[in-house]
């Protein structure tokens, strides 16, 4: 298959062998699980349980209220201890509402398993999507976008290709590698199900060439007759080949439009972990309640991959990997390029947690003092979005938010290549995140201001209308009054005339009767 | 930036070999002055002095300035030039990263237009050999501005190749007659050729080390050679050969060390090609029809002016955007 190149990128030491040396370990049930209400991109969920309730494994404990949202299920059976604010894996290091489950060690499903659908080929896309949604599945490559929504492209977009992302380009992370080695059949079945939902004619399954074992396992698991339908593609290991847009470019040579989605090219991209979760949901009726996490880095005694229940704390993960090596000072969720530091190890595993990286001070080459940008252009050379990072930095630093957008700030995928090569050690991505936040903040302010202005204008309009109506009403009243007056006048006039006529008449008769009366009446 | 300094060493040693201790004296004094001015300005601007000096940019500016001026120039030329380079061209515009003009070239142009006599006295290798000016005598000459007793400027200086070509053509000689002079090597005066070769070596090493990109040096030298080639083909008696232009004056050191200053150059790949081409073209135009024998400094400063505009109109197409998008 003809492969293509994306602009820039980096060849990085992959550090994957450390964690793939050990086989996959399935962790037991810990004592407590901290299950965040929001583990995905989109609206938070609404809890269905209260402290004291007993829950079964797989029971829905928090409900999605929105289309871009995903249900949350109990990873094991136990008692709801509390719903509290607890640290979550988020760059802000903030706490968020979590359901705390005191596990009962029975790990009982009760009747919370959904019906198994071994006959999924007979089912239509709609009911399969509904199953994916009911299982609370989100993108497991890290972005955690609700999968049911991704499997439902806008009307009129015909999907011909499913791209399976097994690239896993970021150093240290090996959870997809281990997954592909351990469950190649399940992943391929997931790919068949998703292709069925989308009506896709082919599946392009991309694996970076630094994972030959995974590729071999998949090749063995693939049925001979579907070699044309599911194509396994070994791609060069260049960071960030696992970025959705970069991967599509490598495989097809086409660029996803800046403001568009892969669906605009007839492509949907899914991570291997997500496919396995979809397969488990369809074939076994299991919701997404566990995932594989790479626990690695020089700060871990026995780096390895563990299959852990959602809500397991990082401390429990580390314990399963032999504990900390002496001198650990930094925990990162995700990889060294795009991950973020977390404040402590009480943070739980969520659906998008792919890696926990622990480092010691001596492992991270100290980036050195930040020096001024000399516009050397190294960042331009490595930027996979073909941006000018030095110019973005210049405008972001000067808070020139119009120019920074004009130079493509929102095309930045925050892969960190620019900051990695910067000879002046400038934390470039932080400037871009800052600029994005500012622009979003301003947009919100603007919307708020617009709303306020609309309200104000509406109020003015209403006041004007009320004023007008009042005047009109007054005018009408006046008119009505005036009319009454005129009526009275007429009446008076008529009355007067009658009176006069009567008087005349009586005068005449009086005249006839007595002239003195007539004189009196005239006088 | 330190690697650029290393790359300057072979060419500088070659110049010292041919033009005497004065080159080393100039380089040392200019670096000293530059670093002093830098420290002064950084302190005045209340920035960390030692951290800023660590970036070596002041050393580089002083060094490049020193290579541009005659080896026996008096000390006050060095002082004024480096002051303009560091204080005015660099720090008054905000320091490293913010200067629109190449500091070393601003310093050089200021002294060039202000002190034309001092800036035209290039020693000749054979003159120096005859005079056998020692290191101390050289230092004394630089500091006092006077040659030791018994020596004459005329005896130890001669016109640089660009000067020579210019004067001879004005006085009616042909290019061939000039290049037949025993002073000439393959393309230009032997010592200039050798200095050029060694600066080229340093430049290639910088390319290999990816300290600089190919865009500016290649487009500058190619444009200079192409334009020179066209006129040379038209009238080889009146217009010097492309090789002469490339191996004379500051063309090579300019292409690899001066025009590649990233701060004041264009930053987009296409912008850099245009930037280099502009310098090559302007260098030829000024050398051939302008009032100064060499023109790299002027060409660089003129192109510095248009670098932001070049960057604005040569933005690469962003991933996922249609090709016609333009600011």
């Amino acid at each position: 298959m003809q492969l293509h190149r994306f602009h820039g990128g980096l060849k990085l030491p992959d550090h994957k062998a450390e964690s793939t040396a050990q086989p996959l370990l399935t962790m037991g049930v810990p004592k407590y699980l901290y299950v965040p209400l929001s583990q995905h991109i989109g609206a938070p969920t609404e809890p269905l349980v209260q402290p004291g309730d007993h829950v079964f494994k797989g029971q829905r404990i928090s409900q999605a209220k929105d289309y871009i949202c995903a249900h949350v299920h109990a990873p094991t059976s136990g008692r709801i201890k509390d719903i509290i604010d607890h640290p979550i894996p988020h760059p802000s290091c903030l706490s968020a509402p979590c359901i705390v489950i005191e596990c009962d060690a029975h790990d009982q499903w009760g009747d919370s398993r959904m019906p198994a659908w071994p006959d999924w080929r007979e089912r239509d896309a709609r009911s399969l999507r509904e199953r994916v949604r009911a299982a609370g599945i989100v993108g497991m490559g890290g972005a955690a976008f609700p999968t049911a929504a991704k499997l439902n492209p806008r009307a009129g977009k015909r999907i011909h290709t499913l791209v399976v992302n097994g690239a896993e380009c970021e150093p240290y992370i090996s959870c997809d590698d281990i997954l592909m080695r351990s469950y190649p059949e399940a992943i391929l079945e997931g790919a068949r199900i998703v292709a069925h939902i989308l009506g896709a004619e082919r599946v392009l399954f991309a694996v970076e060439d630094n994972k030959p074992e995974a590729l071999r396992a998949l090749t063995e698991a693939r049925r001979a007759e579907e070699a044309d339908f599911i194509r396994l593609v070994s791609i060069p290991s260049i960071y960030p080949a696992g970025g959705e847009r970069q991967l599509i470019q490598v495989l097809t040579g086409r660029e996803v439009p800046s403001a568009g989605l892969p669906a605009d090219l007839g492509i949907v991209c899914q991570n291997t972990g997500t496919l396995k979760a979809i397969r488990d949901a369809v074939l076994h009726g299991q919701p997404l309640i566990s995932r594989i996490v790479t626990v690695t880095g020089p700060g871990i005694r026995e780096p390895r991959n563990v299959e852990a229940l959602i809500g397991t704390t990082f401390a429990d993960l580390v314990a399963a990997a032999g504990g900390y090596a002496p001198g650990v000072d930094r925990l990162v969720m995700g990889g060294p390029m795009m991950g973020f530091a977390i404040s402590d190890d009480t943070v739980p595993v969520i659906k998008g947690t792919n890696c926990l990286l622990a480092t010691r001070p001596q492992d991270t080459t100290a980036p050195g003092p930040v020096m001024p940008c000399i516009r050397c252009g190294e960042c331009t050379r490595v930027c996979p979005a073909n941006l000018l990072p030095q110019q973005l930095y210049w405008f972001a630093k000067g808070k020139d938010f119009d120019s920074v957008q004009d130079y493509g700030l929102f095309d930045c995928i925050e892969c960190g290549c620019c900051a990695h090569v910067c000879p002046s050690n400038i934390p470039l991505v932080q400037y871009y995140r800052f600029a994005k936040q500012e622009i979003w903040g301003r947009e919100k302010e603007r919307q708020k201001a617009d709303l306020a202005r609309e309200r104000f204008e509406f109020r003015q309009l209403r006041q004007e209308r009320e004023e007008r109506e009042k005047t009109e009403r007054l005018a009408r009243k006046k008119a009505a009054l005036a009319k009454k007056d005129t009526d009275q006048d007429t009446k008076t006039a008529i009355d007067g005339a009658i009176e006069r006529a009567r008087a005349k008449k009586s005068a005449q008769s009086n005249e006839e009767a007595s002239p003195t009366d007539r004189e009196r009446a005239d006088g | 930036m330190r690697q650029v300094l290393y790359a300057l060493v072979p060419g500088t040693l070659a110049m010292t070999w041919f033009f005497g201790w004065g080159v080393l004296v100039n380089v040392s004094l200019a670096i000293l002055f530059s670093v002093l001015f830098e420290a002064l300005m950084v302190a005045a601007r209340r920035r960390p002095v030692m951290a800023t000096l660590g970036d070596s940019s002041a050393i580089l500016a002083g060094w490049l300035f020193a290579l541009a001026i005659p080896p026996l120039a008096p000390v006050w030329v060095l002082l004024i030039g480096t002051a303009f380079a560091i204080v005015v061209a660099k720090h008054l515009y905000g320091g490293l990263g913010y200067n629109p003009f190449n500091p070393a070239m601003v310093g050089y142009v200021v002294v060039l237009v202000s002190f034309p006599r001092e800036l035209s006295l290039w020693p000749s290798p054979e003159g120096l050999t005859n005079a056998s000016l020692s290191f101390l005598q050289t230092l004394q000459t630089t500091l006092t501005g006077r040659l030791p007793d018994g020596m004459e400027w005329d005896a130890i200086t001669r016109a640089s190749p660009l000067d020579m070509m210019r004067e001879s053509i004005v006085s009616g000689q042909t290019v061939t007659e000039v290049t037949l002079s025993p002073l000439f090597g393959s393309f230009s005066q032997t010592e200039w050729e050798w200095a050029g070769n060694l600066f080229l070596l340093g430049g290639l090493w910088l390319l290999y080390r990816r300290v600089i990109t190919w865009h500016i040096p290649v487009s500058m030298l190619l444009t200079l050679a192409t334009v020179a080639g066209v006129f040379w083909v038209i009238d080889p008696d009146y217009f010097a050969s492309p090789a002469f232009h490339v191996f004379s004056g500051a063309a090579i050191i300019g292409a690899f060390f001066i025009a590649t200053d990233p701060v004041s150059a264009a930053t987009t790949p296409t912008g850099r090609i245009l930037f280099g081409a502009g310098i090559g073209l302007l260098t030829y135009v000024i050398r051939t029809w302008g009032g100064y024998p060499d023109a790299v400094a002027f060409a660089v400063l003129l192109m510095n002016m248009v670098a932001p505009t070049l960057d604005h109109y040569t933005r690469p197409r962003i991933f996922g955007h249609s090709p016609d998008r333009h600011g």
Side-chain angles (χ1 to χ4, degrees):
Chain A
M1 192 174 145
Q2 168 77 43
L3 292 181
H4 306 263
R5 271 227 57 176
F6 57 90
H7 182 264
L10 292 172
K11 276 194 192 300
L12 297 168
D14 66 11
H15 288 294
K16 289 176 195 275
E18 288 95 318
S19 52
T20 53
Q22 301 283 328
L24 177 62
L25 171 82
T26 305
M27 267 181 77
V29 176
K31 207 164 169 208
Y32 292 104
L33 292 175
Y34 296 83
V35 185
L37 295 184
S38 185
Q39 308 182 22
H40 49 261
I41 292 179
T45 57
E46 203 166 65
L48 297 170
V49 290
Q50 283 175 346
D53 289 359
H54 175 270
V55 290
F56 283 110
K57 181 174 187 167
Q59 182 181 332
R60 191 180 297 175
I61 52 175
S62 201
Q63 174 95 7
K65 296 173 297 179
D66 225 337
Y67 180 62
I68 308 290
C69 192
H71 304 307
V72 176
H73 303 80
T76 185
S77 57
R79 198 178 61 85
I80 304 297
K81 188 164 172 269
D82 212 345
I83 300 176
I84 52 160
D85 276 352
H86 185 82
I88 53 157
H90 189 271
S92 66
C93 295
L94 287 178
S95 293
C98 293
I99 299 177
V100 187
I101 302 176
E102 191 175 4
C103 310
D104 62 11
H106 300 310
D107 208 25
Q108 284 171 318
W109 278 95
D111 57 355
S112 50
R113 223 192 274 252
M114 294 173 284
W117 285 354
D119 57 343
W120 56 265
R121 280 185 196 278
E122 313 302 319
R123 307 202 175 248
D124 61 4
R126 199 189 168 83
S127 48
L128 286 166
R129 265 201 306 271
E130 196 39 55
R131 169 59 62 90
V132 170
R133 184 170 156 75
I137 296 172
V138 300
M140 290 168 77
F145 185 82
T147 303
K150 203 172 173 182
L151 293 180
N152 193 13
R154 273 170 289 174
K157 301 264 185 254
R158 207 184 67 79
I159 303 299
H160 49 75
T161 303
L162 166 66
V163 168
V164 182
N165 189 345
E168 200 169 48
C169 56
E170 201 165 345
Y172 284 103
I173 308 178
S174 65
C175 58
D176 287 352
D177 186 1
I178 284 288
L179 183 83
M180 289 185 279
R181 295 189 204 184
S182 311
Y183 305 106
E185 271 131 22
I187 298 167
L188 290 175
E189 188 70 356
R192 291 181 201 113
I193 295 170
V194 171
H196 175 70
I197 295 175
L198 297 167
E201 298 142 20
R202 61 169 181 170
V203 177
L204 296 180
F205 198 132
V207 181
E208 272 193 353
D209 57 12
N210 59 1
K211 294 181 254 305
E213 290 93 340
L215 199 65
R216 199 175 314 126
L218 288 164
T219 313
E220 278 167 20
R222 183 179 60 177
R223 294 178 205 137
E225 70 272 14
E226 60 185 8
D228 280 339
F229 172 54
I230 299 178
R231 304 188 64 173
L232 299 169
V233 190
S234 172
I235 61 166
S237 309
I238 299 169
Y239 178 82
E244 189 174 74
R245 286 163 193 250
Q246 281 63 44
L247 184 60
I248 289 170
Q249 189 176 21
V250 167
L251 293 173
T252 67
R254 301 179 67 192
E255 293 180 13
V256 178
S258 167
L261 290 171
D264 296 329
L265 304 180
I267 296 170
V268 163
C269 188
Q270 291 288 346
N271 165 269
T272 52
T274 318
L275 291 179
K276 163 132 189 323
I278 291 172
R279 174 262 191 191
D280 290 345
V282 172
L283 243 53
H284 302 300
Q286 286 180 14
L288 175 52
I289 50 173
S290 69
R291 69 157 297 144
I292 300 179
V293 183
T294 309
V295 187
T296 187
I300 299 290
R301 270 188 210 279
E302 296 162 19
R304 70 186 310 156
N305 280 278
V306 293
E307 186 159 9
L309 296 176
I310 304 296
T312 307
T313 61
F314 285 176
D316 288 338
L317 286 186
V318 172
Y324 291 113
V328 174
D329 75 328
R330 193 173 144 87
L331 283 179
V332 171
M333 171 164 154
M337 299 296 287
M338 292 186 75
F340 49 85
I342 47 176
S343 49
D344 64 281
D345 59 9
T346 61
V347 168
V349 171
I350 59 173
K351 294 171 183 176
T353 308
N354 47 12
C355 181
L356 173 64
L357 179 66
T359 56
R360 301 166 302 178
Q362 64 264 38
D363 307 317
T364 40
T365 41
V370 176
M371 302 297 290
C373 169
I374 52 166
R375 293 155 44 90
C376 66
E378 270 300 283
C379 47
T380 309
R381 198 173 60 75
V382 298
C383 178
N386 212 10
L387 295 164
L388 295 169
Q390 72 277 49
Q391 305 289 68
L392 288 176
Y393 164 70
W394 178 269
F395 294 126
K397 201 177 177 194
K399 298 190 183 168
D400 181 350
F401 295 121
D402 289 332
S403 297
V404 81
Q405 285 183 83
D406 188 34
Y407 274 74
L409 175 70
F410 285 99
D411 288 291
C412 167
I413 57 169
E414 300 179 14
C415 64
C417 288
C418 51
H420 187 83
V421 298
C422 180
S424 294
N425 306 310
I426 302 169
L428 291 161
V429 180
Q430 287 180 26
Y431 281 91
Y432 309 148
R433 286 193 186 139
F434 160 77
K436 285 179 183 175
Q437 294 292 343
E438 282 293 296
I439 292 165
W440 284 326
R442 274 165 202 224
E443 182 66 17
K444 231 180 234 166
E445 282 297 305
R446 204 177 55 77
Q447 278 172 1
K448 250 164 72 188
D450 281 352
L451 200 68
R453 201 186 60 234
E454 260 169 47
R455 276 198 194 128
F456 174 74
E457 282 171 358
F458 183 74
R459 182 161 162 266
Q460 255 190 340
L461 222 69
R462 193 191 48 165
Q463 281 176 339
E464 270 169 28
R465 197 190 62 219
E466 283 174 359
E467 193 64 28
R468 202 173 53 236
E469 281 174 1
K470 204 165 147 193
T471 355
E472 276 172 12
R473 211 165 46 236
L474 265 176
R476 261 204 310 278
K477 215 167 175 181
K478 227 179 194 166
L481 269 175
K483 194 164 171 229
K484 217 165 163 191
D485 283 352
T486 346
D487 286 354
Q488 245 158 17
D489 284 350
T490 334
K491 208 172 160 205
T492 338
I494 295 168
D495 285 353
I498 293 170
E499 196 65 26
R500 272 196 305 278
R502 204 178 282 153
K504 220 175 178 178
K505 229 179 190 171
S506 62
Q508 269 169 1
S509 55
N510 279 351
E511 207 176 6
E512 281 160 22
S514 109
T516 41
D517 275 1
R518 198 191 137 199
E519 278 166 357
R520 209 168 29 212
D522 284 350
Chain B
M1 208 101 46
R2 209 156 295 148
Q3 302 199 54
V4 184
L5 302 181
Y6 302 150
L8 276 173
V9 169
T12 307
L13 289 180
M15 282 183 73
T16 312
W17 173 262
F18 291 115
F19 300 115
W21 291 112
V23 176
L24 275 193
V25 169
N26 275 0
V27 168
S28 317
L29 286 176
I31 289 175
L32 180 74
F33 294 154
S34 293
V35 170
L36 280 177
F37 284 128
E38 174 103 342
L40 222 64
M41 287 309 286
V42 172
R45 294 176 60 215
R46 294 173 207 286
R47 305 283 161 99
V49 175
M50 287 327 282
T52 310
L53 291 183
D55 66 30
S56 319
S57 63
I59 300 179
L60 181 61
W63 195 330
L64 288 172
F65 170 80
L67 293 180
I69 62 167
L72 292 174
V75 66
W76 45 268
V77 166
L78 291 165
L79 210 56
I80 292 170
T82 50
F84 262 89
I86 302 296
V87 177
V88 179
K90 192 173 176 189
H91 281 287
L92 293 190
Y93 283 93
L96 181 66
Y98 299 92
N99 49 298
F101 295 103
N102 186 314
M105 291 303 103
V106 170
Y108 172 62
V109 165
V110 165
V111 294
L112 179 67
V113 297
S114 311
F115 316 109
R117 197 189 85 88
E118 283 77 5
L119 268 287
S120 65
L121 295 171
W122 272 96
S124 67
E126 65 285 352
L128 284 176
T129 317
N130 296 339
S132 65
L133 213 57
S134 72
F135 177 77
L136 280 177
Q137 284 174 315
T138 310
L139 190 63
Q140 192 196 340
T141 310
T142 302
L143 293 180
T144 60
R146 275 198 305 274
L147 283 172
D149 292 337
M151 282 188 213
E152 290 296 326
W153 282 109
D154 287 347
I156 59 163
T157 61
R158 86 153 112 89
S160 70
L162 285 164
D163 261 331
M164 202 164 159
M165 186 65 78
R166 194 182 174 75
E167 303 294 317
S168 314
I169 286 171
V170 169
S171 64
Q173 280 180 283
T174 66
V175 169
T176 327
E177 284 168 341
V178 180
T179 49
L180 278 177
S181 135
L183 299 173
F184 269 64
S186 319
F187 313 119
S188 181
Q189 288 177 8
T190 317
E191 58 276 12
W192 287 97
E193 251 173 57
W194 271 106
N197 286 340
L198 287 166
F199 281 123
L200 181 65
L201 192 74
L204 292 176
W205 183 73
L206 287 181
L207 271 180
Y208 169 73
R209 298 281 304 175
R210 289 177 125 158
V211 176
I212 59 173
T213 62
W214 58 269
H215 305 79
I216 293 173
V218 168
S219 69
M220 175 184 158
L221 294 177
L222 212 62
T223 308
L224 178 62
T226 310
V227 179
V230 168
F231 283 98
W232 181 58
V233 166
I234 293 171
D235 186 353
D237 280 344
Y238 190 76
F239 297 104
S241 75
F244 172 80
H245 274 285
V246 169
F247 283 95
S248 298
I252 287 184
I253 190 176
F256 287 95
F257 293 90
I258 296 167
T260 49
D261 164 39
V263 176
S264 53
T267 190
T268 66
T270 321
R272 283 179 173 174
I273 292 176
L274 295 175
F275 180 81
I279 294 174
L281 179 70
L282 286 172
T283 301
Y284 187 80
V285 169
I286 300 172
R287 274 181 182 180
T288 313
W289 296 288
Y292 285 87
D294 202 358
V296 172
F298 294 111
V300 166
L301 293 178
L302 288 170
M303 288 312 289
N304 284 164
M305 286 182 196
V306 294
T309 312
L310 288 178
D311 284 340
H312 185 80
Y313 286 106
T314 56
R315 288 188 252 168
R317 185 185 64 83
I318 299 170
F319 182 97
H321 282 265
S322 52
D324 54 346
R325 183 185 173 277
H326 247 306

